[in-house]
């Protein structure tokens, strides 16, 4: 089972560039999430989705946009990258809101 | 608002010794509680969860945790650790809305 797959695994951007991170899950989960992980701060929720075609803001949504056009995919976009967005990004999914989330292996993003 | 506090950022311990990783949470509503483990350069894996029922929860790799509602705690324990348990451990809380709030993480370092 692939579970949750994130692409790319690594990326270096220049300030002001844009990019999209892709998350795909093959477990037919309804809920999908994007987090960022920074040293000493745990994981913070950026955006999430409770089903195909829906998105909602999390704790730190500024500077990011998301789309959930297909149930299995959840895209995270950076319109104009800033050095403060250098982080490790994790995607997760769950079947129901009270069920454990399954995580991808992360995307390491550096913005110069 | 919910919050999670992991009381120790780093816990060094010798192999075969017992360990306790402490987690306190605050919430005005019923919560679900989770412990996740993150090995280097990997995503998060679920160790155990408390949704309801017995307050003593057993997880994978010999870990267990006890939900204490009066003390709003969910401490993680293992009676005898191995070198392979070296990793970062995250406590997380969610309500029925599905959003996870993570603690800052505890780095467990097991020494021979």
């Amino acid at each position: 089972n692939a579970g949750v797959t994130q692409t790319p695994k690594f990326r270096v951007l220049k300030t002001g560039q844009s990019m999209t991170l892709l998350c795909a899950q093959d477990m037919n989960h309804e809920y999908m999430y994007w987090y960022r992980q920074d040293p000493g701060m745990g994981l913070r929720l950026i955006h999430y989705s409770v089903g195909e075609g829906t998105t909602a803001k999390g704790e730190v949504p500024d500077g990011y946009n998301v789309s959930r056009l297909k149930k299995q995919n959840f895209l995270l976009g950076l319109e104009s990258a800033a050095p403060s967005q250098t982080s490790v990004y994790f995607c997760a999914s769950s079947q129901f809101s009270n069920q454990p989330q399954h995580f991808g292996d992360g995307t390491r993003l550096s913005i110069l | 608002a919910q919050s999670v506090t992991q009381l120790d950022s780093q816990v060094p311990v010798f192999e075969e010794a017992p360990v306790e990783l402490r987690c306190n949470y605050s919430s005005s509503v019923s919560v679900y509680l989770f412990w996740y483990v993150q090995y280097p350069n990997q995503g998060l894996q679920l160790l155990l969860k408390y949704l309801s029922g017995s307050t003593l929860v057993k997880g994978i790799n010999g870990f267990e945790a006890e939900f204490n509602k009066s003390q709003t705690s969910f401490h993680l324990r293992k009676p005898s650790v191995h070198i392979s348990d070296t990793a970062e451990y995250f406590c997380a809380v969610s309500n029925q809305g599905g959003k996870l709030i993570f603690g800052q993480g505890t780095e467990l370092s097991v020494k021979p």
Side-chain angles (χ1 to χ4, degrees):
Chain A
N1 283 338
V4 178
T5 303
Q6 293 183 233
T7 53
K9 296 189 184 304
F10 304 94
R11 187 72 182 269
V12 178
L13 290 178
K14 294 181 179 179
T15 297
Q17 287 185 317
S18 63
M19 80 160 296
T20 300
L21 280 64
L22 172 64
C23 175
Q25 54 96 1
D26 62 2
M27 297 170 283
N28 201 36
H29 285 171
E30 291 293 332
Y31 291 71
M32 296 188 75
Y33 312 83
W34 275 108
Y35 296 90
R36 59 177 290 172
Q37 183 180 27
D38 301 293
M41 302 186 74
L43 279 76
R44 293 179 292 168
L45 183 64
I46 305 172
H47 286 281
Y48 65 103
S49 168
V50 301
E52 181 178 324
T54 74
T55 63
K57 294 181 180 180
E59 182 184 356
V60 288
D62 294 342
Y64 305 95
N65 57 74
V66 288
S67 64
R68 183 102 180 265
L69 299 179
K70 294 182 179 181
K71 186 177 184 178
Q72 64 268 33
N73 295 337
F74 195 30
L75 278 63
L76 177 70
L78 284 72
E79 293 180 342
S80 179
S84 61
Q85 294 176 306
T86 292
S87 187
V88 182
Y89 292 85
F90 286 99
C91 177
S93 71
S94 66
Q95 177 57 16
F96 301 113
S97 63
N98 65 345
Q99 293 300 309
Q101 295 180 14
H102 297 255
F103 285 80
D105 288 337
T107 295
R108 293 182 180 276
L109 183 60
S110 293
I111 299 164
L112 306 176
Chain B
Q2 294 173 312
S3 67
V4 178
T5 302
Q6 292 183 240
L7 298 166
D8 307 291
S9 59
Q10 294 181 323
V11 174
V13 64
F14 287 106
E15 194 174 17
E16 298 184 5
V19 70
E20 178 180 79
L21 306 184
R22 297 179 294 168
C23 173
N24 286 103
Y25 69 93
S26 66
S27 176
S28 58
V29 297
S30 297
V31 296
Y32 307 114
L33 294 157
F34 306 86
W35 275 99
Y36 286 86
V37 60
Q38 184 181 32
Y39 299 104
N41 299 313
Q42 294 186 24
L44 277 70
Q45 301 174 28
L46 180 71
L47 270 181
L48 49 79
K49 63 183 185 288
Y50 172 79
L51 303 181
S52 66
S54 173
T55 57
L56 183 62
V57 180
K58 294 189 182 298
I60 62 171
N61 300 340
F63 285 93
E64 64 180 31
E66 186 158 17
F67 170 56
N68 188 320
K69 189 174 181 179
S70 63
Q71 297 188 1
T72 60
S73 68
F74 192 54
H75 301 332
L76 181 70
R77 302 185 182 99
K78 186 170 183 178
S80 176
V81 294
H82 303 288
I83 298 288
S84 59
D85 292 323
T86 293
E88 189 153 22
Y89 292 78
F90 291 95
C91 180
V93 62
S94 77
N95 57 21
Q96 293 185 353
K99 292 186 287 184
L100 274 179
I101 305 297
F102 284 88
Q104 300 91 330
T106 297
E107 192 176 320
L108 176 63
S109 176
V110 181
K111 304 179 185 303

